[in-house]
Amino acid sequence: METPEEYQPAPPPPDRDVPVPLPPGIWAAGERVTALAGIVLALSSFMSWYAGSGEGLTIAVIGWHTGAIGKLVFLLGLAVVLLVGLHEFGIELPATVPESLIVIVLGSIATILVLIRLISVPDRFFPYEGRGIGIWISLAAALALIVGGLLRAGEEL
């Protein structure tokens, strides 16, 4: 005589709304690009934005000393790093506020601020011979934030 097996209900059918994780590749790079661009943007405020020489001295003005815009660029980079850090520790924003949108907005604001400083050099920094490497790094990092946000938007879909 065989022993009766216990009744096990059939597993529920899989939901069709369950997101399927994407394989690693370019789409998984969104968070890495965002984190790296945020760090570089924050640090670029302490790099040379303007360079010049006068009376035998070479003068460099860092982004922090360019006024409120240099400080705002630092704070925007710090905000992105904080957002990525919170995501790494498992603290998620509400579903109505996608992180990718926040990163794109912060990157757009940073790009506009850096472009203002790139085009309009304050008069107190004369004589200057040109722009330093730091302002170009800031612009590249701000644009990379926008790209990182777009990649993250692709990951969220």
Side-chain angles (χ1 to χ4, degrees):
M1 176 169 203
E2 293 183 34
T3 59
E5 294 182 20
E6 292 183 23
Y7 173 73
Q8 295 179 351
D15 287 334
R16 295 184 188 264
D17 295 333
V18 176
V20 178
L22 294 172
I26 186 121
W27 297 113
E31 192 161 344
R32 290 188 297 258
V33 169
T34 302
L36 183 64
I39 291 169
V40 170
L41 185 67
L43 292 178
S44 69
S45 292
F46 302 107
M47 297 178 192
S48 170
W49 280 20
Y50 305 112
S53 60
E55 300 178 22
L57 296 175
T58 301
I59 301 169
V61 179
I62 63 173
W64 186 263
H65 292 146
T66 61
I69 290 181
K71 293 170 180 66
L72 284 174
V73 168
F74 171 73
L75 291 176
L76 289 171
L78 199 62
V80 170
V81 171
L82 180 67
L83 185 66
V84 171
L86 288 175
H87 181 74
E88 284 295 318
F89 285 115
I91 300 172
E92 297 289 331
L93 295 176
T96 58
V97 184
E99 290 180 19
S100 61
L101 179 64
I102 293 174
V103 171
I104 291 170
V105 167
L106 291 176
S108 300
I109 293 170
T111 302
I112 291 169
L113 292 175
V114 171
L115 282 174
I116 288 172
R117 275 293 167 240
L118 191 63
I119 295 169
S120 172
V121 179
D123 292 338
R124 65 180 181 209
F125 299 134
F126 286 104
Y128 79 96
E129 294 174 357
R131 284 138 185 97
I133 188 74
I135 198 162
W136 299 109
I137 292 173
S138 296
L139 183 61
L143 292 172
L145 274 181
I146 296 172
V147 171
L150 291 173
L151 287 174
R152 288 180 78 161
E155 292 172 8
E156 291 173 358
L157 292 179

